[in-house]
Amino acid sequence: MTASILTVDDSPSLRMAIRIALSGAGYAVTEAGDGVEGLQRADAAQFDMVVTDLNMPNMDGLTMIRELRQRPAYCGTPIIFLTTESDDTIKAQARAAGATGWLVKPFVPDQLIRVARKVLGR
């Protein structure tokens, strides 16, 4: 069965780059433009992994992760932050919110695929 991944980022070009990388590796990818839309997508379907930006309009990635972790369906789902932020304080906040991992933009597609394979086990 194909793993499904939700990507949440306010940059259409970055969402496209993530989709190309992950779908090329055989994953089914669904996109959202901010945390609010990400939660709507997550409530409408179950995803095996979530990749989210931190800084987005309407709802940031930290808030979205906290909201997702309150949903029983997402308490153990891997959530990867993909962001320009590299500050240790923000990384600590992300871990506390429930982030599984962290990748800094600009990302290397092979690195994202390796992380996906590691956390999904496929």
Side-chain angles (χ1 to χ4, degrees), residues 60-101:
D60 67 22
L62 279 174
T63 304
M64 188 190 78
I65 289 175
R66 289 185 193 108
E67 292 286 328
L68 276 176
R69 290 298 188 213
Q70 292 178 11
R71 290 159 166 77
Y74 286 95
C75 64
T77 302
I79 301 175
I80 306 300
F81 252 127
L82 181 60
T83 180
T84 56
E85 299 286 343
S86 58
D87 182 87
D88 287 339
T89 304
I90 296 174
K91 285 182 181 180
Q93 291 174 356
R95 275 193 296 280
T100 309

Side-chain angles (χ1 to χ4, degrees), residues 2 5 20 38 48 51 59 64-65 84 108 111 118:
T2 302
I5 299 174
I20 289 168
D48 300 303
V51 178
M59 181 186 291
M64 188 190 78
I65 289 175
T84 56
V108 177
Q111 185 182 25
K118 181 177 180 180

